[in-house]
Amino acid sequence: MPPVANKDNSPNLILAGFMGTGKSALGRQLAKRWRRRFYDTDELVEKLAGASIADIFAEHGEEHFRALERQVVAGLLPEYGGVIACGGGLVVPAGMGELVRSKGIVVTLFASVDTILRRTAGNSRRPLLKGDDPEAKIRELMKKREQAYMKAGIAVYTDGRSLQQLCVIVERVYEREARALLKSRPKSE
Ligand code: S3P
């Protein structure tokens, strides 16, 4: 358990990245390890809207969904101490990367198209991958989003790594970043 993560005022850990890169699985595992609360922005959006992601997309469209995500990040996340998994497109719209970074330490998970394809098959929470050729959609979206993902946080590649190994890697990144952040805060805080 990382020492800095024990402090009540330790920064949030925020996991960003494409659908199927393992944000929720890793986030839940780290939250358990650190005895912190886990938040999933997809769940918070569904609660806020009182509707499923599939229904939000079908009835109101993607733009409305993005507005809800912004509301969640701006107003419904804890200030400190949480482990948060973001929906895959959350950091993509203009200004969202900055907003998310203002809420904690951001790690972006990456995975190969094959891994993403395998992990995302048949999930109704991912309407953007619906259709005959999900692989083409993944490639197209990934290309559009890659820059935003790189800018949003510290990149961690997940292929060929177990959940256990990823926990250790992300924990190390978090510790390093949290220490730097605590050092840079004025003493009176
Ligand atoms: C989306 C990813 C999904 C969900 C929604 C849109 C995206 O979250 O927020 O279907 O635009 O990449 P996961 O990354 O948790 O699947």
Side-chain angles (χ1 to χ4, degrees), residues 56-58 60-67 69 89 128 141 145:
I56 300 169
F57 269 81
H60 305 284
E62 183 173 348
E63 241 180 78
H64 180 69
F65 176 75
R66 299 297 169 208
E69 285 191 315
L128 292 178
L141 274 178
R145 293 177 172 184

Side-chain angles (χ1 to χ4, degrees), residues 26 29-30 33 161-170:
L26 183 60
Q29 191 67 27
L30 282 171
R33 245 169 111 108
R161 288 172 164 161
S162 67
L163 197 55
Q164 186 57 32
Q165 286 170 321
L166 286 166
C167 275
V168 173
I169 293 167
V170 172

Side-chain angles (χ1 to χ4, degrees), residues 19 23 42 53 65-66 69 87-89 125-128 145:
M19 294 169 261
K23 300 169 299 252
D42 285 340
I53 290 184
F65 176 75
R66 299 297 169 208
E69 285 191 315
R125 263 199 170 170
R126 289 157 176 157
L128 292 178
R145 293 177 172 184

Side-chain angles (χ1 to χ4, degrees), residues 95-171:
M96 285 300 280
E98 289 82 350
L99 182 62
V100 169
R101 276 200 305 280
S102 75
K103 302 287 176 184
I105 293 165
V106 187
V107 169
T108 309
L109 302 182
F110 286 87
S112 67
V113 173
D114 281 353
T115 304
I116 291 171
L117 195 57
R118 185 168 33 80
R119 291 210 193 124
T120 52
N123 185 320
S124 67
R125 263 199 170 170
R126 289 157 176 157
L128 292 178
L129 299 184
K130 261 194 336 206
D132 297 338
D133 195 350
E135 181 175 344
K137 289 205 171 168
I138 292 169
R139 287 187 193 283
E140 184 196 320
L141 274 178
M142 190 56 116
K143 207 165 147 195
K144 277 195 202 149
R145 293 177 172 184
E146 208 160 17
Q147 285 299 318
Y149 288 142
M150 293 304 290
K151 269 200 223 153
I154 297 156
V156 169
Y157 294 86
T158 62
D159 277 306
R161 288 172 164 161
S162 67
L163 197 55
Q164 186 57 32
Q165 286 170 321
L166 286 166
C167 275
V168 173
I169 293 167
V170 172
E171 195 166 286

Side-chain angles (χ1 to χ4, degrees), residues 19-36:
M19 294 169 261
T21 51
K23 300 169 299 252
S24 298
L26 183 60
R28 279 181 205 287
Q29 191 67 27
L30 282 171
K32 208 165 137 192
R33 245 169 111 108
W34 298 352
R35 300 205 183 89
R36 302 209 154 261

